[in-house]
Amino acid sequence: KIFSCRDGFVYLYVTRQHWKLFLTVWKDHAPVFDAPDWLNNLYRRAHADELNPAVQAFVGQYTMAEITELLQAKGIPCVPVNTPLGFAKDEHVRGRGFMAAVEHVGFGSTEQPAMPFMIDGMRPAVGSVPVLDSWQDSDVKHPTFKGLVPSPASGEGKGEGSASGNGPLDGMRIVSFDHVLAAPYGTTILAELGADVIKVESSKGGMDPFRFFGTGEDPNVSPRFLEFNRNKRSLTVNLKHPKGPKVLHDLVAKADAVLDNYSVDVVDRIGLAYTDLCKVKSDIINLRMPGLGTTGPKRHFSTVGVNITAFTGLTYLWNHPGVTDPPIGSQTVFPDYVSGVLCAIIIISGVLYRDRQKKGAFIDLAQSEATAFMIGANLMEAAASGKDPQPMGNASPSAAPHDCYPCKGEDRWCVIAAETEPQWAALANIIGGGIDQDPRFKTLASRLQHGDELYAAIARWTRDKDPFEILDRLQKVGVPCGVVQTGEDLTNDPHLADRGFVVRVENPRLGRVVLPNFPLQFTNAKLTRRWEFPVLGRDTEAVLRDVVGYSEDTIKQLGNDGVLE
C-alpha cells in the first residue's frame, strides 16, 4: 500500500515473512498487532481499516529516504513513490548510468534512458535519432555486444540437444533459478519456442513461492504456477548439501545459458556467481535480473513488482489528471511482464552472440530499468525540462475523444478514440443529437479544450447501451473502439477462441484449467504444446542421466545422500 511521508510517499509491501520484522522496526505499535492472527495475510487484509491508519501514523513520522532505509535494512520491500524526475535523479539510477547523455540533431544535448541492461559491465551506446535519409552517407554502425560504453557501476564479468523436439529454439538449453513471475515468464517464452528449460528448485527451502499461489500446502496444484512454468522440466537439488553445488556445476557444463531473479547476493552464497559458472563452462551466457540490478548503492533493496513500478515513476503517472496526493497507480505487476519479455530476448541474443563470437557474457538486467525504459519519453521530458510530466489518465494530447465510457450493466465500459477528422465525423453521425454541429466539438483543438463536455456528451450516449453493441457499430464505420473485457469475456471471446489462443486443458491434478496459448504462430516451425504440471522434482533423474551423463548408481547414491531434495 502507498503511505504518505513528510516529503512524499512510499510503497510498503509486507507479507507474512516480513510481518514480525516489520513489528521490530515499528517499536511503538499497539500490542494487539503482536497477536498470531496478524501473521496471516488474509486476516490483515480483512482488518485493513484498523491496520492502515496505525501504519500511516508510524510511517508519517519519517521522510521517504528515512523510512525506506529503516525498512530495507530489515529486508522489507519499501521504496519511494518517485516522480519521473525523481527517478531520473536518483543516486542509484545515476550510479548505474541508466540516464545517458546524448546529442540529438536539431534538439541539442539531453539525457534519455539507455538500454536497460549491461553486458560485462558495459551498456550499449545511445546514439542520436537518425536524420531522414542519413543512412545513405552514414558510417554509424548498429550497436551490438561490441558497441558498448562503460557504466559508472561495473557488473560481474569477466548446448547441446533439448528435450523439446520442436520449435525454433530446439537445441538450446537453459538452466533457470527462477521464482514467482518475472524470470518464470521469460523462461516460459523460451520453453514455448522449443528450448529445454530446466527449472532448479529444492524442497529444502528453495521452492518457487508461486507453487502455493492461491492454494494450500501442496506444491503441485497451483494453476497460476502451471501458467508460468509449463513446458519446463523440474529438477530438485539441495543447495545446502555439500554435494549440491557440484551437481549444479555438472548441469551448467551442458547448458547454453543460466539465469536467475534472486536477490543480488544469493548466487555468491550457493556457488553460482558468474566466475563460478565460467570455471565449468567458459562461454556460458549468464543473465541476472534482480529488482534494481547487481550494482549500484541500492542493489540490495528488496523489491516486488508493484514497488518497482513505484520506484520508476510509473505509479505516479498511472493516474487521472490531478490524482497525485496520494498517487494510486495500478496493482498490475507490469515490471514482471516487461522484464520477462526482455529476459527471453536477451537470452536468445546472448546465445547467438556466443555461437558467433565463441565467448560468453554476463548480463545484468535490472527490472526497474526494464520498466522505466517503457516510459522513456516521459523520463527524457523530465530530464530536459527539469519538470515532471503530469498524469493524463485516458486522455491523449493528439486525439479527442480518447477515453473510457460507462455502458449498460454493472461496471461495464467501452473505449472510444477518434484520431482523425473522418473518424470523428463518423462517430458524431452515429451519436446524433446535433453533436456534429456543436461549435465546442468542431475541431480537434476545440474538442481538446472542451474535454469534460465532450466526455459527458458521449457518456450520455453510451450509458444505456451494451458495450459489445457499441463495439460493432463503431468498428463498422472505422472508429477505433473496444470493450473493457473481464476475465470471463476473454475466456469466451470468439475471436480468441478461433485463433486458438484460449486453451481449455483437462489436467489430472487441477481438473479443467483455462490458459492463454502462446501468442506467436509460425508457418514453418511446429510448436508442440505440453500442458503437464511441472511436478516438483519430476525430471531430476532423467536430467541427471540424459543431460549430465550420471550413471544410475550415481543418481541413486545422490538420492540416498539427500542431495536430490
Side-chain angles (χ1 to χ4, degrees), residues 213-284:
F213 189 95
T215 62
E217 297 302 314
D218 189 337
N220 297 313
V221 293
S222 168
R224 192 72 165 157
F225 182 82
L226 172 60
E227 179 182 357
F228 293 106
N229 292 278
R230 64 205 196 199
N231 290 334
K232 301 176 187 177
R233 297 205 271 181
S234 174
L235 178 138
T236 51
V237 177
N238 182 0
L239 296 176
K240 298 177 182 178
H241 194 285
K243 296 182 180 179
K246 174 63 165 59
V247 173
L248 291 179
H249 289 170
D250 289 344
L251 176 60
V252 168
K254 304 291 184 178
D256 295 293
V258 176
L259 70 89
D260 76 89
N261 62 324
Y262 288 146
S263 297
V264 68
D265 289 333
V266 172
V267 294
D268 293 304
R269 296 198 301 266
I270 59 178
L272 292 172
Y274 181 57
T275 52
D276 298 316
L277 301 179
C278 287
K279 292 175 183 177
V280 297
K281 189 173 178 65
S282 60
D283 61 352
I284 195 71

Side-chain angles (χ1 to χ4, degrees), residues 540-552 555:
T540 300
E541 291 187 16
V543 169
L544 295 180
R545 181 184 62 247
D546 302 335
V547 177
V548 180
Y550 284 173
S551 67
E552 297 290 350
I555 296 172

